[in-house]
Amino acid sequence: MIVESLKLQNYRNYEYLNMNFDEKINIIYGDNAQGKTNILESMYVCATSKSHRGSKDREIIRFDNDESHIKVNVKKNDMNYRIDMHLKKNKPKGIAVNGIPIKRAVELFGILNIVFFSPEDLNIIKNGPGERRRFLDSELCQLNKIYLSDLFQYNHILNQRNKLLKDIAQKESLKSTLDIWDEQLVRYGASVIRSRREFVREMNEVIQRIHSSITGEKEQIELIYEPNVEEEQFLEILLKNREKDFKFKNTSSGPHRDDMCVKINHIDIRKYGSQGQQRTAALSLKLSEIHLVERKIKDVPILLLDDVLSELDSNRQNYLLNSIHDIQTIITCTGLDEFIRNRFEINKIFKVIDGSIFACEQEDFNEH
């Protein structure tokens, strides 16, 4: 899988941008706050229809404009795809694939598979359960359209149930309608739980070898899925917790409260791990993600590294860089020193200055 080109119009700080990528290693460098991450974000939006930052469409559109456009050309399994995305300030976005409009974002998933690695991901272990759920969901949604649909339905029903709990406080007769929502919540929630459990099982098969290699076989990693409720007991626990839910006007049980435990040598590093252990585990998670996607789609995903190298020590830098030679990778950074020091092969270099991008000649890099 290769991203051949990217065009942006009125996207964040870019009035207009046109980039052609090499099929291997691409570096985008420049000072902070120049727009490097915006380029990676736009690709992620084309892959998933959403920003990795959680930004709304109106926040992405360039200041003083009402619309924004993204165009990405993708080559996948000898097939060519053109994804056109039209973001609007006050209307739903428009999406077309090869010139044909699609009605639902779910039809977009799976065309462009991306693994996105940012400095924030290095904190996935030490941060709260929400970060680890986001990790599970972001990859599962790209790989499994059924999961995407189940998760969307679950979250929609969860919001409706929470609204009903608030309404019941004002009108007690509405209690009789809660059973209908509970049945639907359990139906989609059980499917979400099963998919997450299977994904963590498959991730364990991949991550243990990678993590052992990074740590010189000194550490053994294990991922443990921690569902808030087991699918067989979900309805029973919902009924048991109803009075508490009435009191707090919120649903207290379900996969929206799941977590994933990460153990190193049988120790829970969420609580007791050093920062180095937590960061190495996060790196192992991301590299495992690449291998798992490759196994699922029979092709390699696109790897986006957003200023991650500066957050890793030299050993982890080297391991990461040595792991990506066969993957199209787009890396943002503030300078080229790490690559020069490691004699790392780069195929294309871009420099970003305040929303303008300049392709650099290889000779410029060698002289740098």
Side-chain angles (χ1 to χ4, degrees):
M1 183 182 304
I2 303 294
V3 172
E4 296 181 317
S5 64
L6 169 71
K7 290 183 180 180
L8 301 178
Q9 186 176 351
N10 295 325
Y11 186 98
R12 297 277 190 189
N13 65 326
Y14 291 98
E15 182 178 4
Y16 182 76
L17 176 141
N18 187 1
M19 297 179 75
N20 295 302
F21 297 99
D22 189 89
E23 62 183 23
K24 293 185 178 178
I25 307 298
N26 301 264
I27 304 289
I28 303 170
Y29 81 101
D31 294 337
N32 290 324
Q34 301 300 300
K36 302 187 299 294
T37 299
N38 296 341
I39 295 170
L40 303 191
E41 177 194 44
S42 68
M43 293 187 197
Y44 190 87
V45 171
C46 274
T48 68
S49 80
K50 295 182 179 180
S51 164
H52 72 287
R53 298 159 161 165
S55 302
K56 300 185 184 305
D57 288 356
R58 63 175 178 271
E59 298 166 344
I60 291 173
I61 297 169
R62 193 168 185 259
F63 183 69
D64 277 346
N65 286 270
D66 294 322
E67 299 180 353
S68 175
H69 292 84
I70 315 170
K71 293 185 179 181
V72 170
N73 285 310
V74 181
K75 188 172 183 178
K76 178 180 180 181
N77 296 328
D78 297 323
M79 297 276 291
N80 293 311
Y81 298 92
R82 189 183 79 247
I83 301 172
D84 294 288
M85 197 160 291
H86 184 187
L87 308 180
K88 307 168 189 178
K89 189 167 280 188
N90 298 310
K91 295 179 182 178
K93 65 171 65 69
I95 307 172
V97 177
N98 292 339
I100 301 172
I102 62 175
K103 295 181 179 179
R104 300 182 304 151
V106 67
E107 298 173 51
L108 182 67
F109 279 72
I111 295 174
L112 175 58
N113 290 94
I114 281 176
V115 173
F116 198 114
F117 193 6
S118 69
E120 290 77 22
D121 291 317
L122 290 167
N123 297 319
I124 190 172
I125 309 298
K126 75 173 184 179
N127 284 356
E131 287 294 309
R132 292 180 285 279
R133 285 196 300 272
R134 183 182 64 82
F135 167 76
L136 294 173
D137 291 341
S138 65
E139 199 48 58
L140 269 165
C141 285
Q142 286 195 68
L143 293 173
N144 187 336
K145 291 185 178 182
I146 295 174
Y147 181 84
L148 173 64
S149 176
D150 287 341
L151 183 66
F152 175 83
Q153 292 290 347
Y154 178 82
N155 287 331
H156 172 71
I157 294 162
L158 177 66
N159 289 334
Q160 293 297 316
R161 187 181 192 271
N162 288 339
K163 182 179 181 300
L164 179 59
L165 290 170
K166 293 179 177 69
D167 292 343
I168 287 171
Q170 307 296 324
K171 191 175 180 181
E172 199 164 322
S173 61
L174 292 172
K175 278 187 178 182
S176 60
T177 64
L178 198 57
D179 287 341
I180 298 170
W181 291 109
D182 284 0
E183 289 173 9
Q184 294 295 306
L185 195 71
V186 169
R187 175 187 169 190
Y188 291 106
S191 184
V192 167
I193 294 165
R194 283 192 293 271
S195 295
R196 286 178 178 172
R197 179 181 286 108
E198 177 63 16
F199 181 76
V200 172
R201 185 192 66 76
E202 292 178 338
M203 184 71 76
N204 261 317
E205 294 175 2
V206 177
I207 196 171
Q208 290 171 0
R209 173 180 52 80
I210 291 172
H211 192 82
S212 178
S213 181
I214 295 176
T215 61
E217 300 184 358
K218 294 176 182 176
E219 294 182 353
Q220 293 296 316
I221 193 170
E222 182 183 12
L223 308 178
I224 302 169
Y225 177 45
E226 295 181 338
N228 175 258
V229 294
E230 298 292 341
E231 54 266 48
E232 302 86 357
Q233 301 171 327
F234 193 4
L235 183 57
E236 177 187 343
I237 291 174
L238 271 179
L239 295 173
K240 181 181 176 182
N241 290 342
R242 267 195 181 181
E243 290 306 316
K244 181 168 71 172
D245 291 355
F246 287 144
K247 179 180 179 180
F248 293 103
K249 305 178 183 64
N250 196 45
T251 303
S252 58
S253 307
H256 59 289
R257 296 181 179 273
D258 284 354
D259 199 355
M260 181 176 68
C261 177
V262 182
K263 287 189 174 183
I264 300 291
N265 297 341
H266 308 294
I267 295 171
D268 185 349
I269 64 167
R270 293 175 301 183
K271 302 173 184 176
Y272 306 112
S274 67
Q275 185 182 64
Q277 285 180 314
Q278 292 171 341
R279 290 189 159 211
T280 302
L283 175 58
S284 298
L285 278 174
K286 282 296 173 179
L287 292 173
S288 301
E289 200 176 336
I290 295 169
H291 287 278
L292 199 54
V293 173
E294 187 174 352
R295 181 192 294 178
K296 291 280 189 181
I297 68 173
K298 311 301 182 193
D299 198 356
V300 289
I302 310 302
L303 178 60
L304 306 181
L305 298 179
D306 187 20
D307 204 19
V308 171
L309 292 175
S310 61
E311 301 291 329
L312 298 173
D313 62 26
S314 59
N315 288 335
R316 296 186 187 96
Q317 278 184 11
N318 288 332
Y319 191 92
L320 176 56
L321 293 174
N322 290 330
S323 300
I324 62 177
H325 287 296
D326 298 327
I327 305 166
Q328 186 187 32
T329 305
I330 302 169
I331 304 172
T332 66
C333 56
T334 54
L336 302 173
D337 292 344
E338 293 102 335
F339 306 101
I340 295 171
R341 189 165 51 247
N342 291 299
R343 298 182 181 275
F344 184 68
E345 182 180 350
I346 298 174
N347 303 98
K348 204 160 189 177
I349 308 166
F350 304 90
K351 185 169 185 178
V352 178
I353 302 174
D354 193 22
S356 296
I357 195 147
F358 305 91
C360 302
E361 297 296 330
Q362 197 70 26
E363 296 79 49
D364 299 337
F365 168 64
N366 294 332
E367 293 170 4
H368 186 87

